[in-house]
Amino acid sequence: MSTDLSITSHALLGLLVLDGQSEQDGLTGYELKQRADRTLRFYWVAPAMSQIYSELDRLADRGLVDALDTTEGRRRSRRFRISDAGRAALDSWLASPMDDGFPALKHPVALRLMLGALVGPEAVITMLDGYLEDLVERRHDLEQVRAMLADRHEVRYAARVAEWGLSYYDAETDIVEKIKDDVRRRG
Amino acid sequence: MSTDLSITSHALLGLLVLDGQSEQDGLTGYELKQRADRTLRFYWVAPAMSQIYSELDRLADRGLVDALDTTEGRRRSRRFRISDAGRAALDSWLASPMDDGFPALKHPVALRLMLGALVGPEAVITMLDGYLEDLVERRHDLEQVRAMLADRHEVRYAARVAEWGLSYYDAETDIVEKIKDDVRRRG
DNA sequence: TGTAGCATGTAAGCCGTTACATGATTGA
DNA sequence: TCAATCATGTAACGGCTTACATGCTACA
């Protein structure tokens, strides 16, 4: 036991659990990637397909997911369901003290802003404008996700996470506007 | 040319430039780490000492920093200054289109919140309270950094980045409180 | 005398990405 | 018939962390 998995592995297990409530016979790697792109992407990672498959292999090796090979038509695929052991592993991770620490932010815009004096105010403002545009796009994507969840009680936690993200994007927009003004005024 | 460095390498070059304005003969790896912990840590990474040294070696190999061996007393150390080539590499990175993309957030609290239904409202609230405490601490650390910068015009960009971070922590605190209320009400 | 801070590194390994490769199915 | 999408993988590599190892200096 005590198979220590990465957080991302746990996250994928989590997606498999959330899926389990509704659907058919588990998810394919491809479908799992889609789920990740709609959820994890905004606050964790958007794992590459290759990583999805290798994580699934690892989870299957440890018996935390069950893989069933299916061949519909001539197209082969593997569907993955979380196993009882997998569910136990996930529960135990969730119950464990939050030792995975404070959120980590990798913010290239902030980094470049720090060096603003090297490029001058116009370049900084242009960069910030670019970021504001990206924020609009990102917010739009997340808004779609939020809308999909509607007010279904079963997905209330996912909805909260989505709203958290939306607030975050709004807060970013505000502060960036303020910084832009300040750069405009004081160089 | 076109020695393609990681963003972190550029960030370290940036710290060496910012340092250059004031001090003596460059920075030791140890001092650079301290600068990183006061700045980069909050919006990029807090590179391990081992990484600092290996990045400095790489930069030195490419001629982007000059290393001078000094021996004060019996204690040997190497001081690093950015070279003209290094300054050019940094400028060119700053001038290049921002292809390093949207900020990446790794937020274990949001991840666990998404799975809130698996642990129940009390556990979720406890977790969020823990996060709120961490935020207070983090904010305090950053506040100190902000205070150090005072209103010195030379460091106005660093000050803006610090204020950005403070706003971010404030926004997080607000939204987490709201989510807590909602969890309390609707489970 | 011993601990904390200064100072420098090596080695191993994980996580994740990019590039590459293959093939089936659906619909324009 | 051609492109987009579904579906699955392998190989190589980069970035970063942890663990380990060494030694000096200031100060309590």
PDB file of all heavy atoms in Angstrom, chain D residues 9-20:
ATOM      1  P    DG D   9      -2.816   1.935 -25.560  1.00  0.00           P
ATOM      2  OP1  DG D   9      -2.347   0.538 -25.679  1.00  0.00           O
ATOM      3  OP2  DG D   9      -3.719   2.291 -24.455  1.00  0.00           O
ATOM      4  O5'  DG D   9      -1.577   2.932 -25.525  1.00  0.00           O
ATOM      5  C5'  DG D   9      -0.404   2.339 -25.706  1.00  0.00           C
ATOM      6  C4'  DG D   9       0.439   3.021 -26.794  1.00  0.00           C
ATOM      7  O4'  DG D   9      -0.061   4.292 -27.244  1.00  0.00           O
ATOM      8  C3'  DG D   9       1.799   3.394 -26.272  1.00  0.00           C
ATOM      9  O3'  DG D   9       2.564   2.206 -26.227  1.00  0.00           O
ATOM     10  C2'  DG D   9       2.301   4.344 -27.351  1.00  0.00           C
ATOM     11  C1'  DG D   9       1.002   4.846 -27.998  1.00  0.00           C
ATOM     12  N9   DG D   9       0.893   6.299 -28.042  1.00  0.00           N
ATOM     13  C8   DG D   9      -0.038   7.106 -27.437  1.00  0.00           C
ATOM     14  N7   DG D   9       0.102   8.380 -27.722  1.00  0.00           N
ATOM     15  C5   DG D   9       1.215   8.411 -28.566  1.00  0.00           C
ATOM     16  C6   DG D   9       1.860   9.509 -29.212  1.00  0.00           C
ATOM     17  O6   DG D   9       1.576  10.712 -29.160  1.00  0.00           O
ATOM     18  N1   DG D   9       2.935   9.092 -29.975  1.00  0.00           N
ATOM     19  C2   DG D   9       3.355   7.797 -30.115  1.00  0.00           C
ATOM     20  N2   DG D   9       4.420   7.595 -30.904  1.00  0.00           N
ATOM     21  N3   DG D   9       2.766   6.769 -29.539  1.00  0.00           N
ATOM     22  C4   DG D   9       1.701   7.140 -28.775  1.00  0.00           C
ATOM     23  P    DT D  10       3.883   2.262 -25.312  1.00  0.00           P
ATOM     24  OP1  DT D  10       4.258   0.849 -25.114  1.00  0.00           O
ATOM     25  OP2  DT D  10       3.705   3.165 -24.170  1.00  0.00           O
ATOM     26  O5'  DT D  10       4.956   2.952 -26.274  1.00  0.00           O
ATOM     27  C5'  DT D  10       5.232   2.381 -27.546  1.00  0.00           C
ATOM     28  C4'  DT D  10       6.430   3.125 -28.133  1.00  0.00           C
ATOM     29  O4'  DT D  10       6.042   4.491 -28.453  1.00  0.00           O
ATOM     30  C3'  DT D  10       7.613   3.232 -27.176  1.00  0.00           C
ATOM     31  O3'  DT D  10       8.781   2.995 -27.950  1.00  0.00           O
ATOM     32  C2'  DT D  10       7.529   4.666 -26.653  1.00  0.00           C
ATOM     33  C1'  DT D  10       6.918   5.403 -27.831  1.00  0.00           C
ATOM     34  N1   DT D  10       6.103   6.603 -27.505  1.00  0.00           N
ATOM     35  C2   DT D  10       6.406   7.798 -28.104  1.00  0.00           C
ATOM     36  O2   DT D  10       7.335   7.927 -28.886  1.00  0.00           O
ATOM     37  N3   DT D  10       5.591   8.846 -27.755  1.00  0.00           N
ATOM     38  C4   DT D  10       4.512   8.812 -26.891  1.00  0.00           C
ATOM     39  O4   DT D  10       3.848   9.805 -26.666  1.00  0.00           O
ATOM     40  C5   DT D  10       4.254   7.522 -26.291  1.00  0.00           C
ATOM     41  C7   DT D  10       3.107   7.380 -25.339  1.00  0.00           C
ATOM     42  C6   DT D  10       5.043   6.493 -26.617  1.00  0.00           C
ATOM     43  P    DA D  11      10.205   2.942 -27.234  1.00  0.00           P
ATOM     44  OP1  DA D  11      11.047   2.037 -28.036  1.00  0.00           O
ATOM     45  OP2  DA D  11      10.004   2.721 -25.779  1.00  0.00           O
ATOM     46  O5'  DA D  11      10.736   4.435 -27.438  1.00  0.00           O
ATOM     47  C5'  DA D  11      10.613   5.060 -28.716  1.00  0.00           C
ATOM     48  C4'  DA D  11      11.518   6.279 -28.764  1.00  0.00           C
ATOM     49  O4'  DA D  11      10.742   7.465 -28.463  1.00  0.00           O
ATOM     50  C3'  DA D  11      12.674   6.274 -27.776  1.00  0.00           C
ATOM     51  O3'  DA D  11      13.782   6.874 -28.438  1.00  0.00           O
ATOM     52  C2'  DA D  11      12.152   7.087 -26.594  1.00  0.00           C
ATOM     53  C1'  DA D  11      11.237   8.100 -27.288  1.00  0.00           C
ATOM     54  N9   DA D  11      10.065   8.527 -26.531  1.00  0.00           N
ATOM     55  C8   DA D  11       9.309   7.778 -25.662  1.00  0.00           C
ATOM     56  N7   DA D  11       8.289   8.437 -25.137  1.00  0.00           N
ATOM     57  C5   DA D  11       8.386   9.694 -25.713  1.00  0.00           C
ATOM     58  C6   DA D  11       7.602  10.861 -25.584  1.00  0.00           C
ATOM     59  N6   DA D  11       6.533  10.937 -24.795  1.00  0.00           N
ATOM     60  N1   DA D  11       7.963  11.945 -26.291  1.00  0.00           N
ATOM     61  C2   DA D  11       9.038  11.857 -27.090  1.00  0.00           C
ATOM     62  N3   DA D  11       9.858  10.822 -27.306  1.00  0.00           N
ATOM     63  C4   DA D  11       9.461   9.768 -26.570  1.00  0.00           C
ATOM     64  P    DA D  12      15.180   7.019 -27.724  1.00  0.00           P
ATOM     65  OP1  DA D  12      16.201   6.699 -28.742  1.00  0.00           O
ATOM     66  OP2  DA D  12      15.142   6.306 -26.424  1.00  0.00           O
ATOM     67  O5'  DA D  12      15.238   8.592 -27.453  1.00  0.00           O
ATOM     68  C5'  DA D  12      14.730   9.465 -28.466  1.00  0.00           C
ATOM     69  C4'  DA D  12      14.764  10.885 -27.943  1.00  0.00           C
ATOM     70  O4'  DA D  12      13.543  11.171 -27.213  1.00  0.00           O
ATOM     71  C3'  DA D  12      15.910  11.178 -26.976  1.00  0.00           C
ATOM     72  O3'  DA D  12      16.453  12.430 -27.351  1.00  0.00           O
ATOM     73  C2'  DA D  12      15.226  11.198 -25.610  1.00  0.00           C
ATOM     74  C1'  DA D  12      13.867  11.760 -25.977  1.00  0.00           C
ATOM     75  N9   DA D  12      12.775  11.443 -25.054  1.00  0.00           N
ATOM     76  C8   DA D  12      12.576  10.272 -24.372  1.00  0.00           C
ATOM     77  N7   DA D  12      11.493  10.271 -23.620  1.00  0.00           N
ATOM     78  C5   DA D  12      10.946  11.528 -23.817  1.00  0.00           C
ATOM     79  C6   DA D  12       9.787  12.145 -23.306  1.00  0.00           C
ATOM     80  N6   DA D  12       8.947  11.573 -22.457  1.00  0.00           N
ATOM     81  N1   DA D  12       9.532  13.418 -23.723  1.00  0.00           N
ATOM     82  C2   DA D  12      10.382  14.002 -24.579  1.00  0.00           C
ATOM     83  N3   DA D  12      11.496  13.516 -25.129  1.00  0.00           N
ATOM     84  C4   DA D  12      11.717  12.255 -24.701  1.00  0.00           C
ATOM     85  P    DC D  13      17.810  12.931 -26.745  1.00  0.00           P
ATOM     86  OP1  DC D  13      18.662  13.295 -27.885  1.00  0.00           O
ATOM     87  OP2  DC D  13      18.252  11.979 -25.694  1.00  0.00           O
ATOM     88  O5'  DC D  13      17.389  14.277 -26.018  1.00  0.00           O
ATOM     89  C5'  DC D  13      16.245  15.004 -26.484  1.00  0.00           C
ATOM     90  C4'  DC D  13      15.636  15.725 -25.336  1.00  0.00           C
ATOM     91  O4'  DC D  13      14.729  14.860 -24.607  1.00  0.00           O
ATOM     92  C3'  DC D  13      16.621  16.251 -24.276  1.00  0.00           C
ATOM     93  O3'  DC D  13      16.595  17.659 -24.382  1.00  0.00           O
ATOM     94  C2'  DC D  13      16.066  15.709 -22.953  1.00  0.00           C
ATOM     95  C1'  DC D  13      14.628  15.392 -23.313  1.00  0.00           C
ATOM     96  N1   DC D  13      13.879  14.405 -22.460  1.00  0.00           N
ATOM     97  C2   DC D  13      12.645  14.785 -21.926  1.00  0.00           C
ATOM     98  O2   DC D  13      12.208  15.917 -22.159  1.00  0.00           O
ATOM     99  N3   DC D  13      11.945  13.887 -21.172  1.00  0.00           N
ATOM    100  C4   DC D  13      12.447  12.668 -20.951  1.00  0.00           C
ATOM    101  N4   DC D  13      11.719  11.843 -20.210  1.00  0.00           N
ATOM    102  C5   DC D  13      13.702  12.265 -21.487  1.00  0.00           C
ATOM    103  C6   DC D  13      14.391  13.152 -22.230  1.00  0.00           C
ATOM    104  P    DG D  14      17.624  18.543 -23.555  1.00  0.00           P
ATOM    105  OP1  DG D  14      18.421  19.257 -24.550  1.00  0.00           O
ATOM    106  OP2  DG D  14      18.266  17.737 -22.499  1.00  0.00           O
ATOM    107  O5'  DG D  14      16.682  19.601 -22.837  1.00  0.00           O
ATOM    108  C5'  DG D  14      15.378  19.862 -23.342  1.00  0.00           C
ATOM    109  C4'  DG D  14      14.564  20.531 -22.261  1.00  0.00           C
ATOM    110  O4'  DG D  14      13.834  19.541 -21.486  1.00  0.00           O
ATOM    111  C3'  DG D  14      15.394  21.318 -21.253  1.00  0.00           C
ATOM    112  O3'  DG D  14      14.613  22.455 -20.900  1.00  0.00           O
ATOM    113  C2'  DG D  14      15.588  20.323 -20.098  1.00  0.00           C
ATOM    114  C1'  DG D  14      14.267  19.534 -20.134  1.00  0.00           C
ATOM    115  N9   DG D  14      14.344  18.132 -19.724  1.00  0.00           N
ATOM    116  C8   DG D  14      15.327  17.223 -20.034  1.00  0.00           C
ATOM    117  N7   DG D  14      15.102  16.033 -19.534  1.00  0.00           N
ATOM    118  C5   DG D  14      13.906  16.167 -18.865  1.00  0.00           C
ATOM    119  C6   DG D  14      13.151  15.220 -18.120  1.00  0.00           C
ATOM    120  O6   DG D  14      13.412  14.031 -17.911  1.00  0.00           O
ATOM    121  N1   DG D  14      11.988  15.786 -17.604  1.00  0.00           N
ATOM    122  C2   DG D  14      11.605  17.093 -17.778  1.00  0.00           C
ATOM    123  N2   DG D  14      10.456  17.456 -17.205  1.00  0.00           N
ATOM    124  N3   DG D  14      12.288  17.988 -18.460  1.00  0.00           N
ATOM    125  C4   DG D  14      13.425  17.457 -18.972  1.00  0.00           C
ATOM    126  P    DG D  15      15.165  23.640 -20.088  1.00  0.00           P
ATOM    127  OP1  DG D  15      14.651  24.875 -20.719  1.00  0.00           O
ATOM    128  OP2  DG D  15      16.606  23.433 -19.844  1.00  0.00           O
ATOM    129  O5'  DG D  15      14.412  23.439 -18.703  1.00  0.00           O
ATOM    130  C5'  DG D  15      12.987  23.430 -18.707  1.00  0.00           C
ATOM    131  C4'  DG D  15      12.531  23.094 -17.321  1.00  0.00           C
ATOM    132  O4'  DG D  15      12.793  21.698 -17.054  1.00  0.00           O
ATOM    133  C3'  DG D  15      13.239  23.880 -16.231  1.00  0.00           C
ATOM    134  O3'  DG D  15      12.197  24.359 -15.406  1.00  0.00           O
ATOM    135  C2'  DG D  15      14.129  22.839 -15.532  1.00  0.00           C
ATOM    136  C1'  DG D  15      13.374  21.553 -15.771  1.00  0.00           C
ATOM    137  N9   DG D  15      14.113  20.301 -15.847  1.00  0.00           N
ATOM    138  C8   DG D  15      15.303  20.083 -16.490  1.00  0.00           C
ATOM    139  N7   DG D  15      15.707  18.838 -16.411  1.00  0.00           N
ATOM    140  C5   DG D  15      14.723  18.199 -15.667  1.00  0.00           C
ATOM    141  C6   DG D  15      14.605  16.847 -15.258  1.00  0.00           C
ATOM    142  O6   DG D  15      15.387  15.925 -15.473  1.00  0.00           O
ATOM    143  N1   DG D  15      13.445  16.621 -14.513  1.00  0.00           N
ATOM    144  C2   DG D  15      12.505  17.587 -14.215  1.00  0.00           C
ATOM    145  N2   DG D  15      11.460  17.205 -13.493  1.00  0.00           N
ATOM    146  N3   DG D  15      12.602  18.862 -14.600  1.00  0.00           N
ATOM    147  C4   DG D  15      13.725  19.091 -15.312  1.00  0.00           C
ATOM    148  P    DC D  16      12.483  25.523 -14.358  1.00  0.00           P
ATOM    149  OP1  DC D  16      11.282  26.400 -14.380  1.00  0.00           O
ATOM    150  OP2  DC D  16      13.846  26.067 -14.515  1.00  0.00           O
ATOM    151  O5'  DC D  16      12.418  24.666 -13.014  1.00  0.00           O
ATOM    152  C5'  DC D  16      11.285  23.803 -12.804  1.00  0.00           C
ATOM    153  C4'  DC D  16      11.583  22.824 -11.704  1.00  0.00           C
ATOM    154  O4'  DC D  16      12.361  21.733 -12.235  1.00  0.00           O
ATOM    155  C3'  DC D  16      12.390  23.383 -10.534  1.00  0.00           C
ATOM    156  O3'  DC D  16      11.533  23.462  -9.389  1.00  0.00           O
ATOM    157  C2'  DC D  16      13.534  22.380 -10.346  1.00  0.00           C
ATOM    158  C1'  DC D  16      13.111  21.183 -11.193  1.00  0.00           C
ATOM    159  N1   DC D  16      14.235  20.415 -11.773  1.00  0.00           N
ATOM    160  C2   DC D  16      14.299  19.028 -11.573  1.00  0.00           C
ATOM    161  O2   DC D  16      13.407  18.483 -10.906  1.00  0.00           O
ATOM    162  N3   DC D  16      15.332  18.323 -12.095  1.00  0.00           N
ATOM    163  C4   DC D  16      16.271  18.948 -12.793  1.00  0.00           C
ATOM    164  N4   DC D  16      17.268  18.211 -13.295  1.00  0.00           N
ATOM    165  C5   DC D  16      16.237  20.363 -13.011  1.00  0.00           C
ATOM    166  C6   DC D  16      15.205  21.064 -12.490  1.00  0.00           C
ATOM    167  P    DT D  17      12.134  23.709  -7.912  1.00  0.00           P
ATOM    168  OP1  DT D  17      11.114  24.508  -7.215  1.00  0.00           O
ATOM    169  OP2  DT D  17      13.553  24.158  -7.964  1.00  0.00           O
ATOM    170  O5'  DT D  17      12.114  22.231  -7.303  1.00  0.00           O
ATOM    171  C5'  DT D  17      11.017  21.354  -7.593  1.00  0.00           C
ATOM    172  C4'  DT D  17      11.236  20.058  -6.821  1.00  0.00           C
ATOM    173  O4'  DT D  17      12.188  19.231  -7.521  1.00  0.00           O
ATOM    174  C3'  DT D  17      11.808  20.300  -5.430  1.00  0.00           C
ATOM    175  O3'  DT D  17      11.078  19.527  -4.481  1.00  0.00           O
ATOM    176  C2'  DT D  17      13.267  19.857  -5.541  1.00  0.00           C
ATOM    177  C1'  DT D  17      13.237  18.837  -6.663  1.00  0.00           C
ATOM    178  N1   DT D  17      14.488  18.841  -7.464  1.00  0.00           N
ATOM    179  C2   DT D  17      15.117  17.633  -7.743  1.00  0.00           C
ATOM    180  O2   DT D  17      14.699  16.566  -7.348  1.00  0.00           O
ATOM    181  N3   DT D  17      16.259  17.751  -8.492  1.00  0.00           N
ATOM    182  C4   DT D  17      16.827  18.908  -8.995  1.00  0.00           C
ATOM    183  O4   DT D  17      17.853  18.867  -9.656  1.00  0.00           O
ATOM    184  C5   DT D  17      16.118  20.130  -8.670  1.00  0.00           C
ATOM    185  C7   DT D  17      16.641  21.448  -9.151  1.00  0.00           C
ATOM    186  C6   DT D  17      14.998  20.041  -7.929  1.00  0.00           C
ATOM    187  P    DT D  18      11.496  19.649  -2.893  1.00  0.00           P
ATOM    188  OP1  DT D  18      10.226  19.811  -2.185  1.00  0.00           O
ATOM    189  OP2  DT D  18      12.594  20.641  -2.734  1.00  0.00           O
ATOM    190  O5'  DT D  18      12.122  18.226  -2.524  1.00  0.00           O
ATOM    191  C5'  DT D  18      12.064  17.144  -3.439  1.00  0.00           C
ATOM    192  C4'  DT D  18      12.909  15.986  -2.907  1.00  0.00           C
ATOM    193  O4'  DT D  18      14.080  15.854  -3.753  1.00  0.00           O
ATOM    194  C3'  DT D  18      13.436  16.138  -1.484  1.00  0.00           C
ATOM    195  O3'  DT D  18      13.315  14.870  -0.841  1.00  0.00           O
ATOM    196  C2'  DT D  18      14.891  16.588  -1.665  1.00  0.00           C
ATOM    197  C1'  DT D  18      15.272  15.989  -3.003  1.00  0.00           C
ATOM    198  N1   DT D  18      16.184  16.816  -3.871  1.00  0.00           N
ATOM    199  C2   DT D  18      17.149  16.165  -4.621  1.00  0.00           C
ATOM    200  O2   DT D  18      17.309  14.963  -4.605  1.00  0.00           O
ATOM    201  N3   DT D  18      17.923  16.992  -5.400  1.00  0.00           N
ATOM    202  C4   DT D  18      17.832  18.366  -5.499  1.00  0.00           C
ATOM    203  O4   DT D  18      18.590  18.996  -6.234  1.00  0.00           O
ATOM    204  C5   DT D  18      16.793  18.980  -4.687  1.00  0.00           C
ATOM    205  C7   DT D  18      16.616  20.468  -4.732  1.00  0.00           C
ATOM    206  C6   DT D  18      16.033  18.186  -3.921  1.00  0.00           C
ATOM    207  P    DA D  19      13.861  14.646   0.697  1.00  0.00           P
ATOM    208  OP1  DA D  19      12.928  13.664   1.295  1.00  0.00           O
ATOM    209  OP2  DA D  19      14.098  15.952   1.352  1.00  0.00           O
ATOM    210  O5'  DA D  19      15.278  13.934   0.480  1.00  0.00           O
ATOM    211  C5'  DA D  19      15.450  13.039  -0.614  1.00  0.00           C
ATOM    212  C4'  DA D  19      16.915  12.598  -0.674  1.00  0.00           C
ATOM    213  O4'  DA D  19      17.659  13.472  -1.572  1.00  0.00           O
ATOM    214  C3'  DA D  19      17.639  12.655   0.675  1.00  0.00           C
ATOM    215  O3'  DA D  19      18.429  11.479   0.770  1.00  0.00           O
ATOM    216  C2'  DA D  19      18.500  13.919   0.572  1.00  0.00           C
ATOM    217  C1'  DA D  19      18.826  13.942  -0.912  1.00  0.00           C
ATOM    218  N9   DA D  19      19.138  15.271  -1.452  1.00  0.00           N
ATOM    219  C8   DA D  19      18.500  16.456  -1.169  1.00  0.00           C
ATOM    220  N7   DA D  19      18.996  17.498  -1.816  1.00  0.00           N
ATOM    221  C5   DA D  19      20.034  16.949  -2.569  1.00  0.00           C
ATOM    222  C6   DA D  19      20.954  17.519  -3.474  1.00  0.00           C
ATOM    223  N6   DA D  19      20.971  18.813  -3.771  1.00  0.00           N
ATOM    224  N1   DA D  19      21.850  16.686  -4.059  1.00  0.00           N
ATOM    225  C2   DA D  19      21.820  15.377  -3.754  1.00  0.00           C
ATOM    226  N3   DA D  19      21.007  14.734  -2.925  1.00  0.00           N
ATOM    227  C4   DA D  19      20.125  15.588  -2.366  1.00  0.00           C
ATOM    228  P    DC D  20      19.344  11.205   2.100  1.00  0.00           P
ATOM    229  OP1  DC D  20      19.367   9.735   2.262  1.00  0.00           O
ATOM    230  OP2  DC D  20      18.905  12.088   3.201  1.00  0.00           O
ATOM    231  O5'  DC D  20      20.795  11.664   1.625  1.00  0.00           O
ATOM    232  C5'  DC D  20      21.334  11.084   0.425  1.00  0.00           C
ATOM    233  C4'  DC D  20      22.623  11.793   0.067  1.00  0.00           C
ATOM    234  O4'  DC D  20      22.337  13.130  -0.420  1.00  0.00           O
ATOM    235  C3'  DC D  20      23.601  11.974   1.245  1.00  0.00           C
ATOM    236  O3'  DC D  20      24.792  11.269   0.933  1.00  0.00           O
ATOM    237  C2'  DC D  20      23.812  13.485   1.336  1.00  0.00           C
ATOM    238  C1'  DC D  20      23.421  13.959  -0.060  1.00  0.00           C
ATOM    239  N1   DC D  20      22.981  15.376  -0.140  1.00  0.00           N
ATOM    240  C2   DC D  20      23.614  16.247  -1.033  1.00  0.00           C
ATOM    241  O2   DC D  20      24.541  15.814  -1.730  1.00  0.00           O
ATOM    242  N3   DC D  20      23.210  17.543  -1.106  1.00  0.00           N
ATOM    243  C4   DC D  20      22.215  17.968  -0.336  1.00  0.00           C
ATOM    244  N4   DC D  20      21.838  19.258  -0.447  1.00  0.00           N
ATOM    245  C5   DC D  20      21.537  17.105   0.584  1.00  0.00           C
ATOM    246  C6   DC D  20      21.957  15.830   0.652  1.00  0.00           C
TER     247       DC D  20
END
